[in-house]
Amino acid sequence: MKKIGFIGLGNMGLPMARNLIKASYEVYGINRSKAAEEQLEALGGHTGHTVADLASHMDLIMTCLPLPADIEQVYLDDNGLINNGREGLMLIDNSTVSPELNRKIHLAAAWRGIPFLDAPVSGGTTGAVAGTLSIMVGGNRNDFERALPVLQAIGKQVDYVGSSGSGSVVKLINQLMVGIHTQAVSEGLALGRKSSVGEEKLVQILGTSFAGSRMLERHYSNHIAKEDYKPGFAIKLLGKDLDLAIEMAKQSGVDLSVGNRVRSLLKGAIRNGFAGQDMSAMLGFQLQRDENKEFLKHFAVFLPMKDADKSVKYREQHLQFLANRREEGKLLANGRFTDGAGGLVIYKANSLEEVEAWVKEDPYIIEGARNYEIHEWDIVLAE
């Protein structure tokens, strides 16, 4: 393989393409931003081609794009890679998408006789620049062996995982744990600041204790200590990855209690202006929440049955409404009474008036499916 097409020259893709050039491959790039294509040209790469052009002339094409919709379009559109792929072409996707999308692309490519590997990467922009990425690969083993020299030009740890989609399974588990560890770092350092402990010494001690992690080291050294939150990996992208991980968990029957909470916090950070900042800026969101937080009370909202037919008709809208409140951190619990008498929702809020305003937005109330009754609840938990 000599000629390599690279689609997606962003924060990760451009340094990956540069390392391929350094490894003496001919690299032909495509990117939405022409400035990135100009940077590739300055590094010795080639530009000015369409996706269909690359598909009909390259030995290998790699993609590194931010959203699943981008990947689906590039691979499966009429002017995309698969429909225009030449004999002998190989395709590798380094993006983070669902295993289902990987398998869909794999089947479409196999029907045309084109090998496809899902090979998501981990290591951030630092790893992309240094060529030390961790790469987890799913697909045919023989195809992996053929592509291995190329992958080793951009990554230090390259592992074959299994059949198509397996690489993305591992990557999404990785991202789930990255999100959880990131929140752990944010809460730990926020507590340290509120407790007037020297942060540098705290991080030094944690780093040599069981609480130490690569996330703690990365977030503190690269961003928090410098107060520099330019994205190596943006919060909005981690939020997207957590969405994919939680959807995969649902399909697998796995309850991600902590993962769901972290996803809600990421969505809160995105809504509050942190979307484009590095994921280490979750500390800033934690501090913001702590600064603005008043003492929250609990309110039990009974939803007695009013119209059973309407309750069935508007059930999905009601459940989506509750899901949105849960993501906003306003909902503690909810459930229906098995005798058909209605249901119960437990909200967290500052006042009864605040809760009543939310309840009046519930499709069940708007459509007349249920009545409502609100009580402040002083919860006493059993030991």
Side-chain angles (χ1 to χ4, degrees):
M1 297 180 186
K2 193 64 178 177
K3 292 185 177 181
I4 298 178
F6 205 104
I7 302 175
L9 302 171
N11 290 339
M12 294 290 291
L14 184 61
M16 290 164 68
R18 184 192 66 179
N19 285 326
L20 292 171
I21 293 170
K22 288 172 64 177
S24 300
Y25 292 102
E26 293 181 33
V27 178
Y28 297 74
I30 294 178
N31 196 68
R32 286 175 182 162
S33 165
K34 296 307 171 186
E37 291 189 356
E38 290 171 1
Q39 291 181 62
L40 182 69
E41 287 180 349
L43 294 169
H46 308 275
T47 61
H49 299 273
T50 67
V51 171
D53 288 339
L54 293 186
S56 61
H57 290 93
M58 296 294 106
D59 301 315
L60 169 68
I61 297 176
M62 306 174 76
T63 52
C64 189
L65 296 166
L67 299 175
D70 299 326
I71 291 297
E72 192 156 8
Q73 180 180 18
V74 164
Y75 279 91
L76 301 176
D77 271 12
D78 290 342
N79 294 321
L81 296 175
I82 292 175
N83 285 326
N84 296 278
R86 74 173 184 86
E87 184 178 352
L89 174 66
M90 176 179 284
L91 302 172
I92 299 179
D93 180 30
N94 299 121
S95 314
T96 301
V97 300
S98 69
E100 288 74 23
L101 180 54
N102 288 147
R103 294 172 188 132
K104 179 179 179 180
I105 294 171
H106 173 79
L107 288 174
W111 190 79
R112 292 290 305 272
I114 300 173
F116 170 78
L117 298 172
D118 52 281
V121 300
S122 180
T125 53
T126 302
V129 170
T132 58
L133 293 169
S134 174
I135 308 175
M136 43 226 84
V137 187
N140 180 274
R141 180 70 191 232
N142 291 333
D143 296 332
F144 167 75
E145 297 293 346
R146 285 179 55 209
L148 185 57
V150 175
L151 296 173
Q152 288 174 330
I154 61 172
K156 183 177 180 180
Q157 182 71 35
V158 183
D159 291 292
Y160 176 72
V161 182
S163 60
S164 181
S166 299
S168 287
V169 169
V170 176
K171 177 61 186 293
L172 292 179
I173 293 172
N174 180 83
Q175 295 305 87
L176 169 67
M177 297 181 70
V178 164
I180 292 171
H181 291 170
T182 293
Q183 186 58 28
V185 171
S186 301
E187 293 182 13
L189 295 189
L191 183 58
R193 291 187 181 188
K194 290 292 185 179
S195 304
S196 301
V197 174
E199 190 164 270
E200 185 176 356
K201 177 59 70 173
L202 171 64
V203 172
Q204 178 186 342
I205 294 170
L206 293 176
T208 58
S209 305
F210 283 156
S213 71
R214 293 180 69 181
M215 287 296 97
L216 173 62
E217 179 183 352
R218 176 215 185 259
H219 292 346
Y220 186 75
S221 300
N222 296 349
H223 297 279
I224 295 169
K226 300 175 182 178
E227 296 186 0
D228 178 4
Y229 297 100
K230 181 180 178 181
F233 191 73
I235 286 173
K236 63 183 177 182
L237 296 179
L238 185 57
K240 180 266 294 183
D241 291 351
L242 264 287
D243 286 342
L244 293 170
I246 287 169
E247 181 59 32
M248 182 176 75
K250 287 180 180 178
Q251 295 173 2
S252 302
V254 176
D255 177 21
L256 300 183
S257 300
V258 178
N260 274 294
R261 178 57 181 152
V262 170
R263 179 177 66 163
S264 295
L265 291 168
L266 288 166
K267 289 183 180 294
I270 291 167
R271 287 194 302 271
N272 283 274
F274 291 85
Q277 296 187 37
D278 185 79
M279 57 183 171
S280 56
M282 287 300 291
L283 171 60
F285 180 56
Q286 176 72 36
L287 295 171
Q288 183 186 90
R289 290 170 59 237
D290 292 338
E291 188 70 25
N292 297 332
K293 187 181 294 180
E294 298 180 43
F295 178 71
L296 294 179
K297 305 171 185 178
H298 293 92
F299 294 86
V301 179
F302 292 91
L303 298 172
M305 186 66 68
K306 182 178 180 181
D307 188 315
D309 290 337
K310 286 185 177 180
S311 290
V312 172
K313 181 177 180 180
Y314 295 105
R315 175 178 170 78
E316 291 304 318
Q317 292 94 318
H318 166 72
L319 293 177
Q320 184 58 56
F321 170 80
L322 294 181
N324 293 340
R325 303 295 80 74
R326 184 178 292 106
E327 289 185 354
E328 293 168 357
K330 298 175 179 177
L331 180 65
L332 177 66
N334 65 278
R336 66 182 182 88
F337 300 134
T338 58
D339 61 3
L344 174 67
V345 180
I346 309 298
Y347 285 109
K348 298 179 290 182
N350 295 304
S351 67
L352 186 147
E353 291 75 19
E354 186 176 22
V355 174
E356 187 167 29
W358 299 341
V359 171
K360 287 180 178 179
E361 296 176 357
D362 189 330
Y364 268 180
I365 304 305
I366 293 173
E367 302 297 340
R370 303 286 179 88
N371 292 314
Y372 69 89
E373 183 179 324
I374 306 174
H375 299 271
E376 184 178 339
W377 189 21
D378 186 9
I379 297 179
V380 179
L381 299 176
E383 295 183 358

